[in-house]
Amino acid sequence: LGNHLNSHENVFQIIATITTAYLCFYTGTIANTSGAVAVAVCGVTTKTFGSHLVNKPDMLESFWMLVEAILNTLLFTLGGLEWGAILSLPAPLGPIASDYGYMFMIFGFMQAIRFGLFFSSYPIISRIGLGTNLAE
């Protein structure tokens, strides 16, 4: 039990994290609970009790950052392709002129809400933590 992990076991550690996350999600889904919450709890538990078992934490973190970047790229590429397919549909099935109006109206409302929330909370934000000013 006193053996230290060597560099040949780095791949097995990555495979173990993938397998643990997948099995935890699968078990949560089978138990009719949220798989995402099950994976989050598994991650917190593993970080708390198993972080001393990881050979190279930096390598593991770099791997998961790479996976995140690749999957985000794939997700937004597929989303853009779907959005382009919807916009190219003929008139009865695709968006009409009023849909574009509603889209810009919602965008304007969201920006107004964001502006209002920021400036209404500015007095509190400027006094807590490191503070801020209007230039930031």
Side-chain angles (χ1 to χ4, degrees), residues 66-86:
L66 177 66
V67 169
E68 177 189 5
I70 291 170
L71 292 179
N72 274 336
T73 302
L74 182 64
L75 174 71
F76 285 104
T77 300
L78 291 174
L81 289 172
E82 278 297 313
W83 181 246
I86 289 170

Side-chain angles (χ1 to χ4, degrees), residues 84-100:
I86 289 170
L87 289 179
S88 65
L89 289 174
L93 299 174
I96 56 177
S98 64
D99 291 339
Y100 292 107

Side-chain angles (χ1 to χ4, degrees), residues 95-117:
I96 56 177
S98 64
D99 291 339
Y100 292 107
Y102 286 127
M103 186 171 52
F104 286 115
M105 185 176 68
I106 290 171
F107 177 76
F109 282 140
M110 288 188 339
Q111 294 302 317
I113 291 170
R114 180 180 177 195
F115 179 80
L117 283 174

Side-chain angles (χ1 to χ4, degrees), residues 23-102:
L23 287 176
C24 189
F25 184 86
Y26 182 73
T27 305
T29 306
I30 294 297
N32 290 329
T33 60
S34 173
V37 172
V39 171
V41 170
C42 179
V44 169
T45 305
T46 304
K47 175 67 176 169
T48 303
F49 297 113
S51 60
H52 65 280
L53 299 174
V54 177
N55 192 18
K56 290 185 179 178
D58 295 337
M59 184 209 48
L60 197 60
E61 183 178 353
S62 297
F63 170 77
W64 282 110
M65 287 174 58
L66 177 66
V67 169
E68 177 189 5
I70 291 170
L71 292 179
N72 274 336
T73 302
L74 182 64
L75 174 71
F76 285 104
T77 300
L78 291 174
L81 289 172
E82 278 297 313
W83 181 246
I86 289 170
L87 289 179
S88 65
L89 289 174
L93 299 174
I96 56 177
S98 64
D99 291 339
Y100 292 107
Y102 286 127

